[in-house]
Amino acid sequence: MTASASASPRDRTREDVFRLIRSGGSVTRAQLVKLTGLPRSTVNHAVTRLLAEGRVTEAEAETKGPGSGSGRPAAVLRAVTREAPVAGIDFGHNHINVALADSLGHPLAERHMELDVDLRATEAIDLAVQLLDELRSSQGVDDLAAVVAGVPGPLDIDTGLVRSPTILSSWVGLAPRQELERRLDVPVRAENDAVLGAYGERHLGAGRRHTDFLYIKASHGIGAGLVVGGQPYRGSLGLAGEIGHTPLPGHTEMCRCGNRGCLETVVSVTSLEAQIAHTHPNVEPGLLRLGQADDHITQRIFDEAGRTLGGMLAVLCNLLNPTALIIGGELGASGDAFIEGITTAVHRHAQPAIAACLDIVPAVLGTRAELLGALQLATTLVPR
């Protein structure tokens, strides 16, 4: 999730150090050594290169006056903000989120719009461009350095085409990157949304302490972003992580993919809202509010959904031996019951040694993980 896999180890280390400086606002060399666990000489080499490239500055920290200590204050490193901002687009199954950020990834402005993205691909792309144009106008931004867009479905890593005729029927045959570049006249990168969620958590959230983890976006669909050795694992075609359409034994619910009993027919925003509405006929629908309420029936629904998802995640944990499961999306942000259900099932079904070293936590960035991940990734596309 750092530099390109084809980059040299020194280049990857330099990018890791730069991101720590950028996300921390200001940091000393000694703090970088502690944060990275790298030798001081390695950190110093990376910092020297970053200073020469003009990407960071180094100056003595301001003292607080008398009594602040007699020693010389440590020099503080800060990332340099470049002029051209970047943008991120998060296409969900039922929404579009758009944001502008400075070249360090700090958000400047955001917009949100509800839309059936699955069935209205061209309209969704046009609307995202419109929202982005409105943000640029409101912020007085003429040019963008780069744009990253997340799509809630499988993208072919070679062609850039959406590859699932059943999950995103109106997107099949479209290349989101080319469509957005044609409209925006800006370099664009398109990624699976769960990959971007993992990217956001890796650099800004719960994944900062982990190099091997699974990010699960549990929303209207279920997808996984795999991080192995600090890098995203996309599979041979870029289609890894499509777990939402794995069939569950004993379930016959009809799925939008055309099969029956898929994971997301049992564990998804739509499924849980239906269950909650059935058990609370007199309560106004509202998944997050109900998920956070102290209601025994609702909490049981979330717990059971978490156990169902956790049973499948236990298999992935046995296969990959990650150190963390980070649960994002609306369900990840719905409260303790869902996470507790996942934890119970994973500890029951995963190998004990694997479960013992596993952190199971909600995404620190909540439902913004994909959008903030897009902004963070966009900063790496800015010419140096």
Side-chain angles (χ1 to χ4, degrees):
M1 306 301 286
T2 52
S4 168
S6 61
S8 70
R10 280 190 171 184
D11 288 339
R12 292 197 293 271
T13 297
R14 186 168 72 255
E15 294 306 315
D16 286 344
V17 168
F18 178 70
R19 284 190 175 81
L20 285 171
I21 296 171
R22 181 178 64 191
S23 62
S26 60
V27 65
T28 66
R29 296 189 187 217
Q31 288 171 329
L32 286 174
V33 171
K34 183 177 180 180
L35 287 169
T36 61
L38 296 171
R40 183 177 297 275
S41 59
T42 301
V43 170
N44 284 337
H45 181 272
V47 169
T48 299
R49 287 288 304 276
L50 291 170
L51 289 169
E53 293 170 357
R55 297 168 64 187
V56 302
T57 61
E58 187 172 31
E60 288 188 359
E62 296 181 2
T63 61
K64 298 181 180 179
S68 60
S70 58
R72 182 177 179 179
V76 171
L77 296 157
R78 294 185 175 89
V80 175
T81 303
R82 300 176 185 271
E83 292 185 2
V86 298
I89 302 172
D90 170 32
F91 291 105
H93 288 291
N94 294 79
H95 72 259
I96 302 171
N97 292 329
V98 175
L100 287 178
D102 64 26
S103 64
L104 301 180
H106 302 137
L108 302 172
E110 300 179 25
R111 288 289 303 275
H112 172 87
M113 188 72 69
E114 298 290 330
L115 183 73
D116 186 345
V117 170
D118 293 4
L119 300 179
R120 301 159 72 177
T122 301
E123 183 179 347
I125 293 172
D126 288 340
L127 181 57
V129 171
Q130 177 186 328
L131 293 174
L132 187 52
D133 285 342
E134 291 173 1
L135 283 183
R136 292 168 67 177
S137 177
S138 68
Q139 297 295 310
V141 172
D142 294 324
D143 299 315
L144 291 173
V147 176
V148 170
V151 178
L155 285 171
D156 190 303
I157 200 169
D158 294 324
T159 66
L161 298 176
V162 176
R163 286 289 299 270
S164 176
T166 53
I167 300 174
L168 294 173
S169 57
S170 70
W171 290 73
V172 174
L174 283 179
R177 178 182 66 81
Q178 289 92 327
E179 293 290 333
L180 288 166
E181 283 187 343
R182 180 169 59 82
R183 291 165 170 81
L184 293 169
D185 194 27
V186 173
V188 175
R189 178 165 170 176
E191 286 279 3
N192 173 267
D193 60 347
V195 170
L196 292 181
Y199 196 94
E201 290 292 320
R202 172 78 172 99
H203 295 291
L204 300 173
R208 283 178 290 184
R209 298 186 297 108
H210 302 277
T211 57
D212 297 272
F213 69 88
L214 301 180
Y215 171 82
I216 309 300
K217 182 180 179 181
S219 183
H220 289 84
I222 306 291
L226 288 67
V227 178
V228 179
Q231 300 294 325
Y233 178 78
R234 296 181 175 86
S236 61
L237 294 177
L239 311 182
E242 290 296 326
I243 65 173
H245 297 277
T246 303
L248 297 176
H251 286 273
T252 60
E253 297 89 341
M254 191 68 190
C255 183
R256 56 184 165 151
C257 75
N259 292 326
R260 290 185 177 273
C262 291
L263 176 64
E264 73 169 46
T265 67
V266 181
V267 184
S268 69
V269 168
T270 303
S271 173
L272 269 64
E273 281 183 332
Q275 294 178 56
I276 292 168
H278 180 72
T279 57
H280 295 74
N282 298 320
V283 177
E284 181 181 350
L287 177 64
L288 296 184
R289 181 174 63 82
L290 288 173
Q292 294 166 351
D294 185 17
D295 176 274
H296 175 71
I297 297 176
T298 298
Q299 297 307 303
R300 180 175 177 178
I301 290 172
F302 277 89
D303 179 79
E304 289 182 353
R307 288 172 187 251
T308 299
L309 177 58
M312 178 168 292
L313 296 182
V315 176
L316 295 180
C317 290
N318 284 340
L319 176 66
L320 299 171
N321 186 202
T323 57
L325 286 176
I326 301 172
I327 314 300
E330 286 92 335
L331 297 184
S334 64
D336 294 338
F338 187 68
I339 304 297
E340 289 172 357
I342 292 173
T343 302
T344 298
V346 169
H347 280 270
R348 178 180 179 182
H349 298 293
Q351 289 295 311
I354 289 175
C357 69
L358 189 64
D359 289 337
I360 304 175
V361 295
V364 168
L365 304 179
T367 57
R368 299 177 71 226
E370 288 73 28
L371 185 61
L372 295 178
L375 294 174
Q376 286 294 307
L377 182 57
T379 66
T380 69
L381 308 180
V382 178
R384 303 303 181 190

